[in-house]
Amino acid sequence: MSSLTNEVKKSAYLAGFDLVCLSSAAPLAKDEARYKEWREKGYAADLQYMIREEPRRWVPQDLLPEARTVITLAVNFFSGARRMESKRGFGRVARYAWGKDYHEIVKARLEEWVKNLDILAGRSTKNKVLVDSGPLLERALAHQGGLGFVGKNTLIISRKLGSFIFLSEVLTDLELEPDILIEDEKKDACGACKECIADCPTGALVAPRQLDARKCIAYWTIENKGGIPEEMRSGIGDWIFGCDICQEVCPYNGLARQTQWKDLLPETGAGPYLSLLEVLSLKSDEEFKTRFKGMPIMRAKRVGLMRNACVVAANQKYTEAVGNLVSIVEREPDEMLKAHAEWALKQLS
Ligand code: SF4
């Protein structure tokens, strides 16, 4: 490994990133075909940011024409808590959203770290930092650089840390030595395991490494801004924001160890559960913003989070929520939310 490549990696680890790998910034030809096939099958649902093609997700140089290398950095967000059980009166939150919003936390550290590239290279470098913020096939890049393999649950799984990791990238004009996949890393590391496919309550993993967003709990409870189709509601169970089932059941997550990133711990944010009564009594967008400011939960918006709480209350047969649901039906101006509250009342009656 060249000394510059070595120094860049060392410096990223010193800055607290848990895993680092390097790939060439050349177009990802094979992955382009896979991505297009997935999108053409309609599996992207109406994730407009996934469907857009310009800049092209498989061409890193569309994002930075001078790019020669993609540095992929992973941040471990595992809090140390193992399997989370259901709790009556509470909705479960996906692990990535337990602490503060990682976009802000990781971006701040990455932007600080990138300044080192000029010092290490001894010249002014051109770089672009991405923290879930640019269209790029980041899992393909992470796999190509040997950071992990793509599991049947479609996620990048590190053989050191499991899959509770955030990916971020720096596109740079530095010519660094890309990591080469060793033979072992090319094999399907899932082997005969199919736990994630078998345990997904809504059948969203329609085949190994094929996620149909139209059946995914995370899609319906976070990305979707409209109503949740009735046929999806019972499968959502008690997930009020996102879902972790395909990761919780993955044996590789037995490798997960507690993060060193203090701002990602549950004490700093929403934590693993949200009270249904609290969510169902949110009165205004301002109240929602004050409660969830700086947390990933903001993405669902007040109406989306309350919609999800209606579904969870019905699924849990949580009759204690009847008063709150009636009040939504009587006072809520949003028709979609009102319809979910009416539906939940019917289920509870
Ligand atoms: Fe692969 Fe099994 Fe993990 Fe699914 S649960 S990603 S099949 S190892």
Side-chain angles (χ1 to χ4, degrees), residues 74-326:
V75 169
N76 169 24
F77 64 84
F78 184 68
S79 70
R82 296 278 160 196
R83 199 120 178 197
M84 304 307 293
E85 301 303 334
S86 296
K87 243 168 75 168
R88 189 174 151 72
F90 291 82
R92 271 189 292 170
V93 175
R95 284 172 186 271
Y96 90 88
W98 288 6
K100 286 189 186 161
D101 190 342
Y102 77 95
H103 295 91
E104 292 166 27
I105 306 296
V106 176
K107 194 166 186 199
R109 200 171 308 181
L110 205 47
E111 280 176 346
E112 203 43 47
W113 174 72
V114 149
K115 295 176 190 162
N116 289 320
L117 296 181
D118 284 4
I119 302 167
L120 294 172
R123 68 167 171 90
S124 165
T125 57
K126 285 216 165 104
N127 307 299
K128 187 169 180 70
V129 167
L130 301 171
V131 183
D132 195 29
S133 55
L136 194 61
L137 295 179
E138 61 176 10
R139 291 175 202 174
L141 286 159
H143 174 59
Q144 186 179 295
L147 190 141
F149 66 94
V150 181
K152 287 178 187 165
N153 61 6
T154 74
L155 299 169
I156 275 287
I157 302 177
S158 148
R159 291 165 205 254
K160 290 185 190 140
L161 289 174
S163 64
F164 293 120
I165 50 178
F166 296 128
L167 296 179
S168 57
E169 298 79 30
V170 175
L171 309 186
T172 178
D173 67 346
L174 285 174
E175 294 266 8
L176 301 172
E177 259 176 67
D179 289 297
I180 306 290
L181 276 188
I182 55 169
E183 260 334 287
D184 247 17
E185 286 167 340
K186 289 183 189 160
K187 290 185 196 147
D188 179 358
C190 290
C193 177
K194 287 185 186 157
E195 289 291 323
C196 51
I197 297 175
D199 288 5
C200 175
T202 47
L205 291 163
V206 289
R209 300 174 186 86
Q210 294 269 325
L211 176 89
D212 184 347
R214 296 168 300 187
K215 296 181 178 174
C216 178
I217 296 174
Y219 168 75
W220 288 112
T221 58
I222 302 176
E223 303 300 335
N224 159 52
K225 302 299 172 223
I228 298 175
E230 287 198 22
E231 65 275 17
M232 288 302 306
R233 295 181 192 171
S234 66
I236 285 174
D238 65 346
W239 291 100
I240 194 167
F241 185 88
C243 170
D244 276 335
I245 294 173
C246 66
Q247 300 194 77
E248 298 250 328
V249 300
C250 179
Y252 279 99
N253 279 328
L255 299 168
R257 53 170 198 264
Q258 195 183 37
T259 181
Q260 300 297 313
W261 291 63
K262 300 269 181 273
D263 285 335
L264 300 177
L265 289 173
E267 307 77 80
T268 66
Y273 300 101
L274 289 178
S275 152
L276 296 180
L277 294 184
E278 185 198 359
V279 173
L280 291 171
S281 54
L282 287 166
K283 296 279 178 306
S284 64
D285 293 346
E286 284 61 43
E287 193 183 337
F288 170 79
K289 281 183 203 153
T290 309
R291 168 71 173 89
F292 296 110
K293 189 169 182 272
M295 302 177 205
I297 305 283
M298 288 292 287
R299 190 162 175 89
K301 303 202 164 53
R302 176 188 69 91
V303 163
L305 192 68
M306 292 180 75
R307 167 203 65 195
N308 301 344
C310 292
V311 173
V312 176
N315 288 343
Q316 286 189 345
K317 296 278 171 258
Y318 189 57
T319 46
E320 292 87 331
V322 164
N324 298 57
L325 292 167
V326 169

